[in-house]
Amino acid sequence: MPTISASPDDRENCRTALILYGSETGNAHDIANDLGRMAERLRFSTYVTSLDSVDPSYLKSFSIVLISVSTTGQGDLPNNATHFWKNILRKKLPFDYLKGVEYTTFGLGDSSYPKYNWAARKLHKRLLQLGATQLYDKGEADEQHPEGSDASYLPWSSNLRLHLLRAFPLSNGLEPIPEDVLLEPRMTLQLSINSSKSVTFFGIHGETEVQKLDHSQLDLNNISTLSTHSGTPLNLKLNENRRMTPESHWQDVRKLVFTTEDHINYIPGDILTLYPQNPDGDVNQMMECMGWTELADREILCKISKPIIDFGAPSPFSDVSFSQPTTLRRLLTNSLDFNAIPRRSFFSTIAHFTSDTFQRTRLLEFTNSEYLDELYDYTTRPRRSILEVLQEFDTVKIPWQWATSVLPELRGRQFSIASGGQLKSDGHGSTRFEVLVAIVKYKTVIKKIREGTCSRYLAKLPAGTSLYVTLGRGGLGVYNSGFKQPIIMVGPGTGVAPIRSLIWERLAVKQSTMLIDDNGEIASNGPSLIGESVLFFGGRNRHADYFFEKEWQALQERMPLRVFTAFSRDQPRKTYVQDTIKEQSALVHRLLYDMRGILYICGSSGKMPQAVREALIEVFQAGACIERSSAEAYLLGMEKEGRYKQETW
């Protein structure tokens, strides 16, 4: 890989910013893009990319390095940051390896997890250990906050901006680019027949004013710009799409079964990322709303406008290509998420595309941090989509050339694999995958029906459909040694999917001498003895959402498995999994405290994980006759030993 041409002396005479992210579901990616826009307005030549796209030594060639990273699994970094993390963990690196790097980090986490924001914290600490200098205090956001990550991010980024202005003052007579000036788009579209000519962008008053920056200070040859996905790409065939709940039940939960002729190994906790498409009706509405219908099926090309364009997490489809033509219709169907809830930056951008003073003023109000509550009430609370916003602000007309810069990427959705053991094969040599999907459909506070983009797409898929997916390593960390230990599994609702995979895998181990080694590979390892397995399953009604009931009954005859249930609506007093855990306190204490077993918690990331944690503290207090502080310390010890594993969403 070529080296960066900018020397330390050169760096002192220029303003360059490297914005890095480690993102699993796209939230940290969005933060990185926002930081990139902020750096550009401060006249830094800016590049945004994933952590795995750069060699750590390249950080020294930039004036500032800003990093946003989310935490996944058991305090792990996302898949597109693991290579970077391994690189900076090398023992042979000198203590001054990153001397001269000025950086800060912003972490995105979920406080329902024991290792809250663990990835950002350990990354920040490791950079300091290697000689980097903290440019500004690190920031952290909690997904559980009622107002989301913006509640922490907005004040943090505002103060960071002020700090950068003081630490890196602009030359005399030069000011930051104002918010009312439209930045050059990161990517543009153009008609393929005019590929040799530049396209003029027409806005509300003729040609739109676009602020362009000089990016000649950056040598981009040293940063990978390959379109890659985290995970192994697979082409699967859908064999079964079956509803698991009665037609009369409010919740439609489906089991999808996929196969491939290739031999693919996976372990409990691994995930399939499925990539949805927008419905034809929604695509037509979007084109009509923006006035793009006449161009819908004309061949167009995507063109890189500036190096802030990011290739770290592209769409899986070929539509966003820099050499092959596509169409607006295909982009809107496969690659652009106009049904997403808009972020604050979206309102700032589309305000440039209306000549209506009232609507422009209203849009800009949503970008003001003082109106964060109002933005939440308008977007997140009623789950209002980008398309609905554009339909309400009907004077906004986004130029079609800007579609890929204004509209967010249609990202894949992750699902824990529900199959394991003998269920991983169809019996005819093909690899089998099963997932459990809860179809998202509900009525909002404004009495509108909302449907999840991916679940709506999957619900209507007929058997025989071929799909592109990616297979990724999950965060449960199921390895060889764990099979001999007793385990307690808590999996209400569709959270039972990865647990089902684990149970079937333990049965397979019991029936053979094959075990999974610490690299996730199958290896022979002596007698196949497995510990006790206890499942706490929860749902609303036994008759409606007791998933795999007959399967659990059969499995209890074949392996040391016990199943306890909690159905919250089957009796006047609501009962949840945490209540059943306390009812079985003697068993739970014996397996987790006396026998040092492993705990797995899977399912909703709301109140359930914390409620289970509180129940366990009570169990340990009573069983061991210890104070609460000692019970909490024992739980912390379980986490450090890898015996407390949580995978929630």
Side-chain angles (χ1 to χ4, degrees):
M1 184 177 289
T3 59
I4 279 183
S5 59
S7 68
D9 291 336
D10 294 332
R11 194 186 66 165
E12 293 177 2
N13 299 317
C14 66
R15 298 167 65 84
T16 55
L18 177 61
I19 319 296
L20 300 173
Y21 66 84
S23 185
E24 197 71 31
T25 61
N27 292 328
H29 187 176
D30 290 338
I31 292 291
N33 284 333
D34 196 70
L35 290 171
R37 287 187 288 268
M38 178 190 72
E40 277 206 283
R41 291 194 180 278
L42 297 181
R43 300 188 182 275
F44 285 89
S45 294
T46 306
Y47 194 90
V48 181
T49 192
S50 65
L51 280 157
D52 276 358
S53 297
V54 299
D55 187 283
S57 63
Y58 298 157
L59 274 59
K60 292 183 285 188
S61 297
F62 291 83
S63 307
I64 60 172
V65 178
L66 310 179
I67 305 172
S68 65
V69 62
S70 60
T71 297
T72 66
Q74 314 307 312
D76 303 320
L77 275 82
N79 286 328
N80 58 6
T82 54
H83 183 68
F84 181 92
W85 177 240
K86 289 177 182 177
N87 268 343
I88 63 174
L89 281 183
R90 289 175 292 165
K91 293 182 179 180
K92 65 179 181 180
L93 295 178
F95 69 91
D96 59 350
Y97 179 67
L98 295 180
K99 183 179 180 181
V101 173
E102 296 190 55
Y103 81 101
T104 190
T105 59
F106 189 83
L108 290 91
D110 184 332
S111 58
S112 70
Y113 276 77
K115 294 184 176 180
Y116 168 64
N117 262 314
W118 204 263
R121 292 173 184 178
K122 63 185 182 183
L123 176 61
H124 193 97
K125 182 179 179 180
R126 181 56 179 162
L127 295 176
L128 283 176
Q129 291 174 344
L130 292 175
T133 301
Q134 179 176 282
L135 168 70
Y136 183 71
D137 292 342
K138 66 178 184 292
E140 292 184 349
D142 183 4
E143 187 180 299
Q144 295 298 318
H145 194 285
E147 294 169 356
S149 60
D150 276 353
S152 300
Y153 172 70
L154 292 182
W156 179 84
S157 60
S158 178
N159 291 329
L160 171 62
R161 179 184 180 278
L162 294 175
H163 177 81
L164 290 175
L165 277 173
R166 291 192 297 265
F168 296 87
L170 290 163
S171 303
N172 292 335
L174 202 58
E175 296 291 335
I177 301 171
E179 291 292 334
D180 60 356
V181 174
L182 188 60
L183 292 173
E184 180 188 4
R186 60 178 191 168
M187 177 195 294
T188 58
L189 303 174
Q190 61 183 27
L191 293 172
S192 61
I193 57 173
N194 296 324
S195 58
S196 62
K197 298 166 59 178
S198 61
V199 178
T200 301
F201 300 100
F202 289 96
I204 59 176
H205 302 298
E207 190 171 347
T208 301
E209 179 188 3
V210 177
Q211 178 67 42
K212 296 192 175 185
L213 296 176
D214 177 15
H215 295 284
S216 60
Q217 298 166 357
L218 296 180
D219 177 2
L220 301 180
N221 292 324
N222 48 73
I223 299 180
S224 171
T225 56
L226 295 176
S227 295
T228 57
H229 281 92
S230 54
T232 304
L234 301 172
N235 283 305
L236 303 183
K237 178 183 178 182
L238 177 63
N239 293 78
E240 179 184 332
N241 187 348
R242 179 166 63 90
R243 178 163 178 154
M244 299 285 285
T245 52
E247 292 291 339
S248 59
H249 191 51
W250 68 276
Q251 176 77 76
D252 181 359
V253 177
R254 294 178 173 270
K255 184 178 78 169
L256 277 65
V257 180
F258 302 95
T259 57
T260 176
E261 294 181 358
D262 297 328
H263 175 71
I264 307 295
N265 183 40
Y266 60 90
I267 62 176
D270 283 357
I271 54 178
L272 278 185
T273 301
L274 307 181
Y275 299 92
Q277 295 179 355
N278 287 309
D280 292 342
D282 290 2
V283 171
N284 290 333
Q285 284 189 57
M286 182 65 188
M287 290 191 295
E288 290 170 8
C289 181
M290 291 294 98
W292 297 344
T293 304
E294 291 185 5
L295 289 165
D297 300 302
R298 297 276 299 275
E299 283 195 352
I300 57 176
L301 291 171
C302 298
K303 176 184 176 183
I304 302 174
S305 299
K306 59 180 180 178
I308 197 172
I309 175 69
D310 163 59
F311 301 88
S315 167
F317 304 96
S318 61
D319 300 78
V320 182
S321 169
F322 303 104
S323 58
Q324 299 298 319
T326 184
T327 66
L328 272 174
R329 188 184 304 279
R330 283 162 59 188
L331 279 174
L332 291 171
T333 299
N334 298 327
S335 303
L336 300 176
D337 194 1
F338 55 85
N339 280 315
I341 298 172
R343 291 182 61 86
R344 188 175 57 97
S345 58
F346 174 78
F347 292 93
S348 176
T349 302
I350 66 171
H352 293 282
F353 301 123
T354 177
S355 58
D356 185 280
T357 303
F358 174 78
Q359 290 199 1
R360 178 180 172 85
T361 301
R362 182 64 175 146
L363 288 167
L364 291 176
E365 284 179 356
F366 287 129
T367 70
N368 191 329
S369 58
E370 294 180 5
Y371 295 98
L372 190 58
D373 290 347
E374 194 168 339
L375 176 63
Y376 177 84
D377 288 340
Y378 180 70
T379 57
T380 305
R381 191 163 178 261
R383 315 299 291 177
R384 188 175 266 107
S385 70
I386 286 174
L387 174 58
E388 289 172 325
V389 170
L390 293 172
Q391 289 171 334
E392 291 185 13
F393 289 86
D394 56 353
T395 64
V396 173
K397 300 300 175 185
I398 302 170
W400 64 269
Q401 297 98 328
W402 292 63
T404 51
S405 288
V406 178
L407 300 176
E409 176 192 344
L410 182 58
R411 295 187 172 103
R413 272 56 164 183
Q414 296 180 337
F415 297 92
S416 294
I417 299 173
S419 47
Q422 67 185 55
L423 299 184
K424 296 196 294 189
S425 171
D426 69 347
H428 303 287
S430 294
T431 304
R432 194 167 183 265
F433 301 86
E434 296 184 22
V435 296
L436 201 59
V437 179
I439 304 302
V440 179
K441 186 175 183 179
Y442 59 94
K443 187 176 291 187
T444 71
V445 293
I446 57 175
K447 309 302 180 184
K448 281 199 172 186
I449 299 295
R450 298 287 185 230
E451 296 183 81
T453 299
C454 190
S455 59
R456 175 172 50 166
Y457 168 69
L458 294 176
K460 298 177 181 178
L461 276 184
T465 302
S466 294
L467 290 179
Y468 170 92
V469 308
T470 51
L471 170 66
R473 182 57 49 87
L476 282 185
V478 179
Y479 299 120
N480 186 338
S481 57
F483 286 106
K484 294 185 179 181
Q485 291 176 268
I487 62 171
I488 287 181
M489 302 161 286
V490 183
T494 56
V496 80
I499 284 172
R500 178 176 181 252
S501 174
L502 176 57
I503 290 173
W504 276 98
E505 203 71 25
R506 286 171 74 88
L507 174 63
V509 169
K510 176 181 179 295
Q511 294 174 332
S512 72
T513 59
M514 307 301 285
L515 294 175
I516 299 175
D517 66 22
D518 289 342
N519 293 318
E521 301 295 332
I522 300 298
S524 178
N525 199 34
S528 48
L529 302 175
I530 62 171
E532 293 181 62
S533 303
V534 175
L535 167 62
F536 288 96
F537 177 82
R540 289 195 170 206
N541 310 103
R542 178 181 288 271
H543 78 280
D545 48 17
Y546 188 6
F547 306 129
F548 309 114
E549 177 182 10
K550 293 182 180 179
E551 192 173 294
W552 304 138
Q553 294 171 354
L555 285 169
Q556 288 180 84
E557 301 295 324
R558 303 172 64 186
M559 62 185 294
L561 171 68
R562 299 174 69 179
V563 180
F564 299 96
T565 58
F567 296 101
S568 60
R569 305 300 194 273
D570 280 351
Q571 62 283 315
R573 179 180 173 274
K574 294 180 180 179
T575 303
Y576 300 100
V577 285
Q578 60 266 27
D579 301 312
T580 310
I581 287 173
K582 286 186 278 190
E583 290 172 3
Q584 301 297 325
S585 60
L587 173 63
V588 172
H589 185 269
R590 178 173 65 84
L591 296 184
L592 294 184
Y593 197 93
D594 296 338
M595 300 181 67
R596 304 184 66 77
I598 303 172
L599 173 71
Y600 296 94
I601 302 175
C602 302
S604 170
S605 63
K607 298 179 180 179
M608 183 272 293
Q610 186 58 39
V612 169
R613 191 177 183 89
E614 285 296 321
L616 291 171
I617 289 173
E618 290 185 30
V619 167
F620 296 151
Q621 278 186 268
C625 298
I626 56 178
E627 297 293 328
R628 179 183 174 88
S629 59
S630 297
E632 291 175 339
Y634 186 78
L635 269 181
L636 290 173
M638 288 181 63
E639 295 164 12
K640 292 178 181 178
E641 296 166 9
R643 296 193 297 116
Y644 188 112
K645 300 176 183 290
Q646 182 175 320
E647 187 81 338
T648 53
W649 49 87

